[in-house]
Amino acid sequence: MLKFPDRISRNLLLEVAGRCVACGLCLPHCPTYRKSRNEADSPRGRIMLMSAVVDGALPINRHFYTHLDQCVTCRACEDVCPNNVAYGQLVSRVRAVVEPVRRRSMIVRFMRWLALDGVVASRTGLVWTARVLRVWQRLGGRALSRMAGGLGLSRLVGLAETLPRVPARVAWADSYPAESEVRGKVALFLGCVASVLDVETLGAAIFVLNKLGYTVDVPSGQICCGALHAGQGQLKKAAALAYANMTAFSGKRWEAVIVTASGCCATLSEYPQTHGRDAEVFSQGV
């Protein structure tokens, strides 16, 4: 039997799902539907499946999990929805509801914990993972992975081929002063994976802002925005990360909080919708 934790209620989920009128305007914008041409992998198809499961009209089985898991939560459908269906929040909340009754092996549970909590939500874990990947690449990791392909480890080969080159670690300073006439002060959100893989973009943002006359502060204590945890239905952990970020960015006044990753920016700006009115002051500056 499904249990609805915290502020999640069955009626709330059904109400959000009920806003979908199945007009189909979202279909051309859904990457999984364009790939599969399967209606169950479209936003309106998934909404119907989620609504039926929450309402008890459809059993939870592997087919339901497959269609739910294949959603990448890009939320492109929300931009074209004429009825403003909060699809991203609906998917995250339904995942949170069905996760407790989902059967996963101990290995899968451990790997999920390691990836989300041991790496993504841990600054130390991110740094050490980046170090390991840099060493692996310098030792010819891609060539080694191709050899592993001959041993039947094709999935490892696929991951290795798509892995970007891991840059050298950057020790971010607490503040970067403006280089011209001072126009103001802003704060920079580093993110999780971006802080070790997309350092070039973050560095470029600091450079441009300094040239424009803005001092850039990099508050300590900031962590993952919580989008990845929310997307996996781990709403309590996502809330903990949100409050950690709000605490890290409190106590000072900035012109704005600058974010270079669009997914993080959307998540931070929507903290009031997911974490209450306490987040309004922070999110207004994002």
Side-chain angles (χ1 to χ4, degrees):
M1 180 179 294
L2 294 178
K3 295 183 179 180
F4 299 89
D6 301 333
R7 292 179 295 172
I8 302 176
S9 70
R10 174 177 173 274
N11 291 338
L12 175 62
L13 294 178
L14 291 175
E15 179 182 348
V16 175
R19 293 182 62 88
C20 175
V21 295
C23 64
L25 291 176
C26 57
L27 298 184
H29 303 273
C30 177
T32 53
Y33 176 75
R34 292 203 307 268
K35 181 76 173 179
S36 69
R37 292 298 174 180
N38 186 339
E39 185 67 48
D41 288 327
S42 71
R44 68 180 182 183
R46 289 192 179 99
I47 288 175
M48 291 180 182
L49 287 173
M50 290 186 289
S51 179
V53 165
V54 170
D55 198 30
L58 189 71
I60 303 177
N61 54 34
R62 63 182 181 86
H63 298 292
F64 170 74
Y65 285 131
T66 297
H67 296 305
L68 189 64
D69 289 346
Q70 288 179 169
C71 175
V72 297
T73 328
C74 67
R75 297 170 57 183
C77 53
E78 292 187 10
D79 292 335
V80 296
C81 179
N83 228 22
N84 298 318
V85 177
Y87 177 82
Q89 292 187 35
L90 178 63
V91 170
S92 296
R93 291 178 175 182
V94 170
R95 283 172 172 167
V97 169
V98 300
E99 184 62 32
V101 300
R102 186 167 186 173
R103 295 180 179 179
R104 297 185 187 272
S105 68
M106 292 297 295
I107 294 178
V108 171
R109 290 184 182 277
F110 172 75
M111 294 303 295
R112 281 167 55 85
W113 170 85
L114 182 63
L116 290 175
D117 294 347
V119 177
V120 171
S122 168
R123 188 65 62 189
T124 302
L126 280 168
V127 171
W128 278 101
T129 300
R131 286 177 177 174
V132 171
L133 291 175
R134 279 198 300 272
V135 172
W136 180 78
Q137 288 179 338
R138 290 175 181 176
L139 293 177
R142 292 174 186 260
L144 293 174
S145 67
R146 293 191 187 98
M147 294 174 58
L151 301 176
L153 302 177
S154 57
R155 294 183 67 181
L156 177 62
V157 175
L159 289 173
E161 293 299 328
T162 58
L163 184 68
R165 186 150 191 88
V166 180
R169 183 193 175 192
V170 174
W172 302 102
D174 294 332
S175 185
Y176 296 85
E179 297 182 11
S180 58
E181 181 180 353
V182 179
R183 300 175 60 183
K185 180 181 289 189
V186 297
L188 179 66
F189 181 77
L190 298 176
C192 52
V193 177
S195 66
V196 294
L197 288 184
D198 202 19
V199 296
E200 184 177 357
T201 300
L202 292 168
I206 294 173
F207 176 84
V208 171
L209 288 164
N210 287 164
K211 291 295 184 181
L212 291 174
Y214 289 95
T215 294
V216 180
D217 289 344
V218 183
S220 60
Q222 58 173 296
I223 193 62
C224 172
C225 66
L228 293 177
H229 287 80
Q232 293 299 313
Q234 299 184 18
L235 300 187
K236 288 186 178 180
K237 183 64 178 182
L241 294 173
Y243 285 113
N245 284 321
M246 287 187 282
T247 301
F249 284 84
S250 65
K252 290 186 178 181
R253 297 185 65 86
W254 291 286
E255 300 290 331
V257 175
I258 304 299
V259 191
T260 61
S262 59
C264 293
C265 186
T267 300
L268 295 174
S269 63
E270 293 178 355
Y271 272 180
Q273 300 177 27
T274 54
H275 306 297
R277 298 183 61 183
D278 293 342
E280 287 183 357
V281 175
F282 166 75
S283 294
Q284 286 174 357
V286 174

Short mmCIF file of all heavy atoms in Angstrom, two decimals, residues 22-53:
data_model
loop_
_atom_site.label_atom_id
_atom_site.label_comp_id
_atom_site.label_asym_id
_atom_site.label_seq_id
_atom_site.Cartn_x
_atom_site.Cartn_y
_atom_site.Cartn_z
N ALA A 22 -4.34 16.42 -21.80
CA ALA A 22 -3.88 15.50 -22.85
C ALA A 22 -3.96 16.12 -24.24
O ALA A 22 -4.31 15.44 -25.21
CB ALA A 22 -4.66 14.19 -22.79
N CYS A 23 -3.60 17.40 -24.33
CA CYS A 23 -3.69 18.09 -25.62
C CYS A 23 -2.60 17.63 -26.59
O CYS A 23 -2.74 17.74 -27.80
CB CYS A 23 -3.62 19.60 -25.42
SG CYS A 23 -2.04 20.18 -24.73
N GLY A 24 -1.47 17.17 -26.05
CA GLY A 24 -0.40 16.67 -26.89
C GLY A 24 0.61 17.70 -27.35
O GLY A 24 1.54 17.37 -28.10
N LEU A 25 0.47 18.95 -26.92
CA LEU A 25 1.43 19.98 -27.32
C LEU A 25 2.84 19.70 -26.80
O LEU A 25 3.82 20.20 -27.33
CB LEU A 25 0.96 21.36 -26.83
CG LEU A 25 -0.29 21.92 -27.50
CD1 LEU A 25 -0.70 23.24 -26.85
CD2 LEU A 25 -0.04 22.13 -29.00
N CYS A 26 2.92 18.89 -25.76
CA CYS A 26 4.23 18.59 -25.16
C CYS A 26 5.00 17.53 -25.93
O CYS A 26 6.22 17.41 -25.77
CB CYS A 26 4.04 18.13 -23.71
SG CYS A 26 2.95 16.69 -23.53
N LEU A 27 4.32 16.73 -26.74
CA LEU A 27 4.96 15.57 -27.36
C LEU A 27 6.21 15.91 -28.17
O LEU A 27 7.24 15.24 -28.03
CB LEU A 27 3.95 14.83 -28.25
CG LEU A 27 2.73 14.24 -27.53
CD1 LEU A 27 1.88 13.44 -28.52
CD2 LEU A 27 3.14 13.34 -26.38
N PRO A 28 6.20 16.93 -29.03
CA PRO A 28 7.40 17.21 -29.82
C PRO A 28 8.59 17.67 -28.98
O PRO A 28 9.72 17.68 -29.47
CB PRO A 28 6.94 18.33 -30.78
CG PRO A 28 5.45 18.28 -30.75
CD PRO A 28 5.09 17.83 -29.39
N HIS A 29 8.32 18.07 -27.74
CA HIS A 29 9.38 18.62 -26.89
C HIS A 29 9.94 17.60 -25.90
O HIS A 29 10.86 17.91 -25.16
CB HIS A 29 8.85 19.84 -26.13
CG HIS A 29 8.31 20.91 -27.03
ND1 HIS A 29 9.10 21.90 -27.56
CD2 HIS A 29 7.05 21.13 -27.51
CE1 HIS A 29 8.37 22.70 -28.32
NE2 HIS A 29 7.12 22.25 -28.31
N CYS A 30 9.37 16.41 -25.89
CA CYS A 30 9.81 15.37 -24.95
C CYS A 30 10.88 14.50 -25.61
O CYS A 30 10.60 13.81 -26.59
CB CYS A 30 8.63 14.51 -24.52
SG CYS A 30 9.10 13.14 -23.42
N PRO A 31 12.11 14.50 -25.08
CA PRO A 31 13.18 13.72 -25.72
C PRO A 31 12.94 12.22 -25.71
O PRO A 31 13.31 11.53 -26.66
CB PRO A 31 14.43 14.10 -24.90
CG PRO A 31 13.90 14.56 -23.58
CD PRO A 31 12.59 15.22 -23.89
N THR A 32 12.33 11.70 -24.65
CA THR A 32 12.11 10.24 -24.61
C THR A 32 11.00 9.82 -25.57
O THR A 32 11.07 8.75 -26.17
CB THR A 32 11.77 9.77 -23.18
OG1 THR A 32 10.68 10.55 -22.66
CG2 THR A 32 12.96 9.95 -22.26
N TYR A 33 9.99 10.67 -25.74
CA TYR A 33 8.93 10.34 -26.70
C TYR A 33 9.48 10.41 -28.13
O TYR A 33 9.16 9.55 -28.97
CB TYR A 33 7.74 11.28 -26.56
CG TYR A 33 6.67 11.03 -27.60
CD1 TYR A 33 5.83 9.92 -27.50
CD2 TYR A 33 6.53 11.87 -28.69
CE1 TYR A 33 4.87 9.67 -28.46
CE2 TYR A 33 5.58 11.63 -29.67
CZ TYR A 33 4.74 10.53 -29.55
OH TYR A 33 3.79 10.28 -30.51
N ARG A 34 10.31 11.41 -28.41
CA ARG A 34 10.89 11.51 -29.75
C ARG A 34 11.75 10.30 -30.05
O ARG A 34 11.87 9.87 -31.19
CB ARG A 34 11.72 12.79 -29.87
CG ARG A 34 10.92 14.08 -29.83
CD ARG A 34 11.66 15.23 -30.49
NE ARG A 34 13.01 15.40 -29.97
CZ ARG A 34 13.32 16.20 -28.96
NH1 ARG A 34 12.36 16.91 -28.37
NH2 ARG A 34 14.56 16.33 -28.55
N LYS A 35 12.36 9.74 -29.01
CA LYS A 35 13.24 8.58 -29.19
C LYS A 35 12.44 7.30 -29.38
O LYS A 35 12.74 6.49 -30.27
CB LYS A 35 14.15 8.44 -27.97
CG LYS A 35 15.13 7.29 -28.03
CD LYS A 35 16.29 7.57 -28.95
CE LYS A 35 17.33 6.47 -28.87
NZ LYS A 35 18.45 6.71 -29.79
N SER A 36 11.43 7.10 -28.56
CA SER A 36 10.72 5.82 -28.55
C SER A 36 9.42 5.82 -29.35
O SER A 36 8.96 4.76 -29.79
CB SER A 36 10.39 5.42 -27.11
OG SER A 36 9.42 6.30 -26.55
N ARG A 37 8.80 7.00 -29.51
CA ARG A 37 7.48 7.11 -30.13
C ARG A 37 6.45 6.27 -29.38
O ARG A 37 5.45 5.83 -29.96
CB ARG A 37 7.53 6.69 -31.60
CG ARG A 37 8.32 7.65 -32.47
CD ARG A 37 7.70 9.03 -32.48
NE ARG A 37 8.52 9.99 -33.21
CZ ARG A 37 8.21 11.27 -33.36
NH1 ARG A 37 7.08 11.73 -32.83
NH2 ARG A 37 9.00 12.09 -34.01
N ASN A 38 6.69 6.06 -28.10
CA ASN A 38 5.77 5.32 -27.25
C ASN A 38 5.01 6.31 -26.40
O ASN A 38 5.61 7.09 -25.66
CB ASN A 38 6.57 4.35 -26.36
CG ASN A 38 5.66 3.43 -25.55
OD1 ASN A 38 4.49 3.72 -25.33
ND2 ASN A 38 6.22 2.32 -25.09
N GLU A 39 3.70 6.29 -26.50
CA GLU A 39 2.88 7.26 -25.75
C GLU A 39 3.12 7.18 -24.25
O GLU A 39 3.02 8.18 -23.54
CB GLU A 39 1.40 7.01 -26.06
CG GLU A 39 0.46 8.02 -25.44
CD GLU A 39 0.62 9.42 -26.02
OE1 GLU A 39 0.64 9.55 -27.26
OE2 GLU A 39 0.73 10.38 -25.22
N ALA A 40 3.46 5.98 -23.74
CA ALA A 40 3.72 5.83 -22.31
C ALA A 40 4.99 6.54 -21.88
O ALA A 40 5.22 6.74 -20.69
CB ALA A 40 3.79 4.36 -21.94
N ASP A 41 5.83 6.91 -22.85
CA ASP A 41 7.06 7.65 -22.55
C ASP A 41 6.92 9.13 -22.88
O ASP A 41 7.91 9.84 -23.02
CB ASP A 41 8.24 7.05 -23.34
CG ASP A 41 8.66 5.71 -22.80
OD1 ASP A 41 8.55 5.51 -21.58
OD2 ASP A 41 9.10 4.85 -23.59
N SER A 42 5.69 9.59 -23.00
CA SER A 42 5.43 11.01 -23.21
C SER A 42 4.95 11.62 -21.89
O SER A 42 4.54 10.89 -20.98
CB SER A 42 4.35 11.20 -24.27
OG SER A 42 3.08 10.79 -23.77
N PRO A 43 4.99 12.93 -21.75
CA PRO A 43 4.51 13.55 -20.50
C PRO A 43 3.07 13.20 -20.18
O PRO A 43 2.76 12.83 -19.05
CB PRO A 43 4.69 15.05 -20.77
CG PRO A 43 5.82 15.12 -21.74
CD PRO A 43 5.63 13.93 -22.63
N ARG A 44 2.18 13.33 -21.17
CA ARG A 44 0.77 13.04 -20.87
C ARG A 44 0.56 11.55 -20.59
O ARG A 44 -0.29 11.18 -19.78
CB ARG A 44 -0.12 13.51 -22.01
CG ARG A 44 0.03 12.74 -23.32
CD ARG A 44 -0.91 13.28 -24.37
NE ARG A 44 -0.81 12.53 -25.63
CZ ARG A 44 -1.50 12.85 -26.72
NH1 ARG A 44 -2.33 13.88 -26.71
NH2 ARG A 44 -1.36 12.14 -27.83
N GLY A 45 1.35 10.71 -21.24
CA GLY A 45 1.25 9.28 -20.98
C GLY A 45 1.69 8.93 -19.57
O GLY A 45 1.05 8.15 -18.86
N ARG A 46 2.80 9.52 -19.15
CA ARG A 46 3.29 9.28 -17.79
C ARG A 46 2.33 9.84 -16.75
O ARG A 46 2.15 9.25 -15.68
CB ARG A 46 4.69 9.89 -17.62
CG ARG A 46 5.79 9.15 -18.38
CD ARG A 46 7.16 9.62 -17.93
NE ARG A 46 8.22 8.91 -18.63
CZ ARG A 46 8.88 9.38 -19.68
NH1 ARG A 46 8.58 10.58 -20.16
NH2 ARG A 46 9.84 8.67 -20.24
N ILE A 47 1.74 10.98 -17.04
CA ILE A 47 0.78 11.55 -16.10
C ILE A 47 -0.41 10.62 -15.91
O ILE A 47 -0.89 10.41 -14.79
CB ILE A 47 0.31 12.95 -16.59
CG1 ILE A 47 1.45 13.96 -16.42
CG2 ILE A 47 -0.92 13.41 -15.81
CD1 ILE A 47 1.12 15.34 -16.98
N MET A 48 -0.89 10.04 -17.00
CA MET A 48 -2.00 9.09 -16.89
C MET A 48 -1.59 7.86 -16.07
O MET A 48 -2.37 7.37 -15.25
CB MET A 48 -2.45 8.67 -18.29
CG MET A 48 -3.14 9.77 -19.07
SD MET A 48 -3.67 9.21 -20.72
CE MET A 48 -4.34 10.74 -21.37
N LEU A 49 -0.37 7.37 -16.30
CA LEU A 49 0.11 6.21 -15.55
C LEU A 49 0.24 6.54 -14.06
O LEU A 49 -0.21 5.77 -13.20
CB LEU A 49 1.47 5.76 -16.09
CG LEU A 49 1.48 5.07 -17.45
CD1 LEU A 49 2.92 4.84 -17.92
CD2 LEU A 49 0.73 3.76 -17.40
N MET A 50 0.84 7.70 -13.75
CA MET A 50 1.02 8.09 -12.35
C MET A 50 -0.31 8.31 -11.66
O MET A 50 -0.51 7.90 -10.52
CB MET A 50 1.88 9.36 -12.28
CG MET A 50 3.34 9.14 -12.67
SD MET A 50 4.38 10.61 -12.40
CE MET A 50 3.78 11.70 -13.70
N SER A 51 -1.25 8.93 -12.36
CA SER A 51 -2.57 9.17 -11.79
C SER A 51 -3.28 7.85 -11.48
O SER A 51 -3.89 7.69 -10.42
CB SER A 51 -3.40 10.01 -12.77
OG SER A 51 -4.70 10.24 -12.25
N ALA A 52 -3.16 6.89 -12.39
CA ALA A 52 -3.82 5.60 -12.18
C ALA A 52 -3.21 4.83 -11.03
O ALA A 52 -3.91 4.19 -10.25
CB ALA A 52 -3.74 4.78 -13.47
N VAL A 53 -1.87 4.92 -10.88
CA VAL A 53 -1.19 4.24 -9.78
C VAL A 53 -1.55 4.88 -8.44
O VAL A 53 -1.86 4.19 -7.47
CB VAL A 53 0.34 4.25 -10.00
CG1 VAL A 53 1.07 3.89 -8.70
CG2 VAL A 53 0.72 3.30 -11.10
#
